[in-house]
Amino acid sequence: MSFPLDLSGRVALVTGAARGLGFAIARGLYRAGALVVLNGRDAAALERARREIDTDGARSDVAVFDVADRDAVRAGVAAIEARHGAVDVVVNNAGIQRRHPAEEFPAEDWDAIIATNLTAPFLVAQAVIPGMKKRGRGAIVNIASLMSELGRPTIVPYTAAKGGVRQLTRGLATELGPSGIRVNAIAPGYFMTEMNRALIDNKEFDAWVRGRTPMRRWGDPDELAGIAVFLASDAASFITGQTIFVDGGMSTSV
Ligand code: GCO
C-alpha cells in the first residue's frame, strides 16, 4: 500500500499557477508525485513556472485559458483530459484583488472579482465533475481566504466572493459526496505574494499584520503546499466540506 500522501498517478490541475500561492501549491503536488497541469492566461509565464517545477518536463503540462470564461474552461479541461485522462485533483486558486472604498467601488471591478474568485471555481468544478464521477473519486480544493471569515475596509467584493467560496465548498461537498468526490477549502491569511505587494511595502500595514497575527509574521506561499497535498490525497479520504485556515492564528485571535 502506497503512503496515503503519495499522489503518484494522479492528474492535478492548479489554476492561477504561474506565480504566488498557485505556483507553490503546484510545486508541492508535483513533489508528492502528481502530474501537474498549470493553468493561467500567460503562456510564457506558465512555461517558465512549469520548467522551474519539473526540470525534465516528464510530469507536467500547461493549460492556457481564462477560468472566468465558461467555454474556455470546458474546452481547456477537455483538452487536459484528452491528453492525460480525467482530472483527479483540482486546486481552484486563481484569484484577483481590487481595493476601493465600497461607495466608490467600480462596477467592472466588482464583476471581475466575482467572476474570477467565485464563479470560476464553480465553472472549473462543473467541467471536472463528469470525469471524477466516472472514476468514483476526486478531490477539489478551493482557495478561500481569511476573508471568508473576517472583513476589512476596501475589499468588500473580495470578502463577499471568498465568503461564497466557503459556502460553494460546503454545497459541492454535500452534493458530490455520494459520488466519492471530496471538496474542501484552504483559507490563507496574509501571505507574501505579489497580490499583496502594496500591503507588504506599506510599513503601517506590515506592522499591523505582524502585530495582529499570533505567529507575528506573514505566511510564505510554500507553507500552503502541505495542506494542499493533504487535502488532495487519500490521507484526507473522509474529509469533505471543510475550510482549513492557514493564517498564523489570525482568525482565532483578537
Ligand atoms: C487584503 C489582502 C487579503 C489577503 C488574503 C487574506 O487586501 O487584505 O489582499 O485579502 O491577501 O486574501 O486571506
Side-chain angles (χ1 to χ4, degrees), residues 28-50:
L29 296 172
Y30 174 85
R31 287 171 175 169
L35 185 158
V36 293
V37 181
L38 284 67
N39 158 262
R41 290 181 295 175
D42 180 339
L46 282 174
E47 189 52 30
R48 284 194 299 272
R50 189 186 69 75

Side-chain angles (χ1 to χ4, degrees), residues 19-254:
R19 61 184 63 83
L21 303 187
F23 173 81
I25 288 170
R27 183 163 54 187
L29 296 172
Y30 174 85
R31 287 171 175 169
L35 185 158
V36 293
V37 181
L38 284 67
N39 158 262
R41 290 181 295 175
D42 180 339
L46 282 174
E47 189 52 30
R48 284 194 299 272
R50 189 186 69 75
R51 285 212 199 95
E52 188 173 342
I53 290 172
D54 180 15
T55 46
D56 63 12
R59 202 164 26 93
S60 62
D61 202 356
V62 298
V64 183
F65 59 85
D66 178 356
V67 291
D69 178 329
R70 184 185 305 272
D71 294 337
V73 168
R74 285 183 187 281
V77 169
I80 293 168
E81 300 201 330
R83 285 200 298 273
H84 304 295
V87 175
D88 298 292
V89 175
V90 163
V91 179
N92 277 313
N93 164 78
I96 61 171
Q97 179 62 288
R98 300 277 192 284
R99 303 179 181 99
H100 305 284
E103 67 274 22
E104 299 162 18
F105 218 94
E108 60 274 19
D109 283 352
W110 165 277
D111 292 345
I113 288 169
I114 298 298
T116 303
N117 294 10
L118 180 57
T119 306
F122 185 61
L123 296 180
V124 174
Q126 284 186 303
V128 300
I129 286 167
M132 290 183 171
K133 280 192 170 179
K134 283 198 191 90
R135 289 194 175 177
R137 65 169 161 82
I140 298 172
V141 181
N142 297 318
I143 301 302
S145 167
L146 174 68
M147 300 307 158
S148 300
E149 178 70 16
L150 304 177
R152 85 172 185 87
T154 75
I155 57 167
V156 167
Y158 180 97
T159 303
K162 291 299 189 177
V165 169
R166 191 177 193 181
Q167 284 302 103
L168 174 72
T169 298
R170 290 169 171 156
L172 284 170
T174 302
E175 182 167 332
L176 300 175
S179 303
I181 301 168
R182 297 181 299 103
V183 188
N184 292 289
I186 298 169
Y190 282 92
F191 276 73
M192 287 282 187
T193 61
E194 281 317 299
M195 186 174 84
N196 287 336
R197 175 53 51 202
L199 305 178
I200 296 161
D201 293 344
N202 178 313
K203 289 196 181 335
E204 189 182 338
F205 197 95
D206 174 63
W208 174 77
V209 167
R210 294 176 189 278
R212 179 69 179 71
T213 304
M215 293 187 75
R216 298 289 185 264
R217 64 178 177 83
W218 294 70
D220 180 301
D222 283 336
E223 294 181 286
L224 289 174
I227 186 66
V229 168
F230 170 68
L231 291 174
S233 76
D234 294 341
S237 57
F238 200 50
I239 298 176
T240 196
Q242 303 307 306
T243 297
I244 311 290
F245 285 78
V246 184
D247 63 2
M250 189 184 265
S251 58
T252 60
S253 61
V254 293

